[in-house]
Amino acid sequence: MASLDRNNKLLLDMVRQPGNNLCADCGAPEPDWASYTLGIFVCLTCSGLHRNLPAVSKVKSIRLDFWEDSLVEFMQERGNSAAKAIFEKCVPGFFYRPQQKDCVVLKDQWIRAKYERREFTGENYLQQVYSTDVFESTLWKKGKDNKQFLKRIFLLNRKDFTLRYFIKEDSKVPKAVISMKDLNAVFQPEKIGHAHGLQISYLQDERTRNLFVYHENGQVIVSMFNAIRSTRLAYLQKKHLTLQDNDLILQITGNCLKEGYMEKTGPTREPFKKRWFTLCSMSRKLLYFKTPLDATELGAVFIGSENHNYSVSESSNKSTRGGRWHRGITLQTPSRQFVFMCEQDQEQKEWLEAFRKVISQPMTPEDYANEANLRRGK
């Protein structure tokens, strides 16, 4: 007869081993759940997603639940590393592997792709759908000047590295043609107000333009996201012939370092105004908008490196221009000084850390070009 205490101790010993000490699906440390049908250790969040796949995965707590000897033996035979060799054997470089802090839909579809659809075992060709010459998807898109979401047809073209979208199915002329050159895509469920909300950003006339889209089906929206990443990687491979894929993969898409409201003022004696800010490390730009769901930026500030006379510091808590918030940040650039005000001490601390992270990074030749373009635009 299985001993609860003995078998749980064996599982706790197993979960401390390299490979098992991180969640098999999102990399969260110290997982305390396990799928006894797949032989993997997972975190609490991912264990909940595994429960949605009862035909594939069954989970138990390694601390609280009763484990039979045969199940413990199976866990000893398998483990995270052995399972990874099976279920992640052929993951394409562009395919997004979610981390602990990523949204639920990314984790859910990663888990389903691995264990339910078995996309990466090498036994089928499902993963090739992301890399077809033309990838089409119908999504709900937020209107530019209102809150209404309308159905739009999106078309990814791998031959000319573009994303087009059309208002109607029989439309022959696209509403927009978006180059892969400066495109970024990131899930923003809280901002968009939908669990599957995706933000697509790109440059239009030297200003950042945002599209906010979603689909009720998680597989559809995540497939679109990974198809965008596949097309972006193909574009980068053609542009940077001498770079390895491992270097290019880091440039495909990127989450913003920090987002939120701050108060800002202009270069003259203008009063402080509340604005929504987004700081992106890939573009080294601080963008600001009137509201989080604005389609087009109001302005942008390039953030260079410390070696090029960029710096950031905490500033006086007192505002002389009518601001309501008093946790100040001073951003110094070669051309001028910017002053921002945060509402809370924690917000000020997080913004300072984000600015310093960008400033500490050396600039690339592309960064120099972006800095020059932004200056010319002003």
Side-chain angles (χ1 to χ4, degrees):
M1 183 176 176
S3 164
L4 174 64
D5 201 36
R6 179 178 67 86
N7 280 346
N8 287 96
K9 283 181 179 178
L10 287 172
L11 290 164
L12 289 171
D13 287 340
M14 277 186 262
V15 84
R16 296 187 187 102
Q17 296 171 5
N20 294 337
N21 61 337
L22 301 176
C23 173
D25 297 320
C26 76
E30 301 178 1
D32 50 9
W33 288 76
S35 169
Y36 59 86
T37 52
L38 296 172
I40 57 173
F41 294 91
V42 295
C43 67
L44 176 62
T45 300
C46 290
S47 74
L49 299 175
H50 277 262
R51 289 186 188 277
N52 296 329
L53 309 175
V56 177
S57 182
K58 298 184 186 298
V59 295
K60 285 187 177 190
S61 167
I62 63 174
R63 297 177 182 275
L64 305 176
D65 289 330
F66 176 82
W67 284 75
E68 296 177 355
D69 290 344
S70 60
L71 298 183
V72 174
E73 289 170 6
F74 177 68
M75 294 300 298
Q76 289 174 322
E77 292 169 3
R78 183 65 68 84
N80 288 4
S81 296
K84 185 175 182 178
I86 298 170
F87 297 107
E88 298 182 32
K89 180 181 178 182
C90 306
V91 182
F94 62 79
F95 200 96
Y96 188 81
R97 297 169 180 256
Q99 303 300 305
Q100 182 181 4
K101 293 182 179 180
D102 279 312
C103 62
V104 172
V105 69
L106 276 171
K107 294 177 184 177
D108 178 63
Q109 289 304 312
W110 170 237
I111 288 168
R112 288 179 181 275
K114 284 202 291 182
Y115 310 118
E116 186 178 54
R117 299 193 293 271
R118 299 175 69 96
E119 291 187 19
F120 316 122
T121 58
E123 63 196 75
N124 57 55
Y125 300 96
L126 290 175
Q127 60 180 271
Q128 293 183 359
V129 69
Y130 309 109
S131 302
T132 55
D133 286 343
V134 177
F135 184 96
E136 181 177 337
S137 188
T138 300
L139 307 174
W140 292 93
K141 174 192 167 292
K142 180 184 174 295
K144 182 178 179 181
D145 301 314
N146 57 57
K147 296 181 180 179
Q148 189 175 10
F149 280 80
L150 300 168
K151 217 175 249 190
R152 297 290 183 255
I153 296 90
F154 286 80
L155 210 64
L156 266 171
N157 193 314
R158 198 179 178 88
K159 292 181 178 178
D160 62 3
F161 303 116
T162 60
L163 172 65
R164 294 171 165 83
Y165 76 88
F166 301 81
I167 294 178
K168 297 179 181 179
E169 288 185 14
D170 58 355
S171 297
K172 295 186 178 179
V173 179
K175 179 69 175 175
V177 180
I178 303 164
S179 169
M180 286 292 118
K181 180 178 182 294
D182 298 296
L183 185 143
N184 189 35
V186 59
F187 277 90
Q188 293 275 23
E190 291 183 9
K191 182 196 283 190
I192 295 172
H194 193 284
H196 303 163
L198 180 69
Q199 177 178 325
I200 300 171
S201 304
Y202 60 97
L203 282 183
Q204 183 181 63
D205 301 325
E206 297 304 320
R207 283 189 176 273
T208 298
R209 173 91 160 86
N210 293 325
L211 303 179
F212 302 102
V213 300
Y214 73 86
H215 195 282
E216 293 293 348
N217 186 306
Q219 184 179 351
V220 171
I221 195 69
V222 174
S223 293
M224 181 67 185
F225 174 64
N226 279 304
I228 288 173
R229 285 178 56 86
S230 174
T231 309
R232 265 280 293 171
L233 178 59
Y235 165 80
L236 292 170
Q237 287 169 332
K238 187 171 182 179
K239 181 181 178 183
H240 304 286
L241 297 175
T242 59
L243 293 182
Q244 299 294 316
D245 280 2
N246 287 341
D247 297 319
L248 297 176
I249 286 166
L250 300 174
Q251 303 176 37
I252 299 177
T253 58
N255 295 328
C256 62
L257 273 180
K258 172 72 179 165
E259 278 195 309
Y261 280 111
M262 290 192 290
E263 290 185 332
K264 73 170 287 291
T265 183
T268 58
R269 305 282 306 172
E270 298 172 11
F272 277 89
K273 295 179 180 178
K274 182 180 175 182
R275 294 290 182 256
W276 178 265
F277 287 84
T278 298
L279 179 60
C280 178
S281 60
M282 280 179 60
S283 65
R284 304 189 74 117
K285 287 180 183 177
L286 177 69
L287 308 174
Y288 59 93
F289 307 82
K290 190 172 183 180
T291 70
L293 293 178
D294 282 359
T296 307
E297 63 167 81
L298 293 175
V301 181
F302 183 84
I303 313 293
S305 67
E306 188 175 7
N307 293 338
H308 294 84
N309 299 317
Y310 287 85
S311 64
V312 66
S313 61
E314 182 178 340
S315 59
S316 168
N317 290 343
K318 294 183 179 180
S319 165
T320 59
R321 303 197 203 174
R324 295 180 296 112
W325 298 344
H326 306 294
R327 281 81 174 178
I329 294 174
T330 299
L331 176 66
Q332 186 67 53
T333 74
S335 57
R336 61 165 285 198
Q337 186 182 84
F338 295 86
V339 177
F340 309 106
M341 291 291 174
C342 302
E343 184 177 19
Q344 303 291 338
D345 290 338
Q346 184 62 29
E347 283 288 300
Q348 180 192 45
K349 179 182 176 182
E350 290 174 3
W351 275 111
L352 285 167
E353 288 177 355
F355 279 126
R356 285 168 180 154
K357 186 172 182 178
V358 177
I359 290 171
S360 67
Q361 296 172 354
M363 288 171 61
T364 66
E366 197 163 352
D367 291 332
Y368 289 113
N370 290 336
E371 181 185 37
N373 289 337
L374 201 58
R375 284 181 177 175
R376 279 197 298 270
K378 298 184 178 193

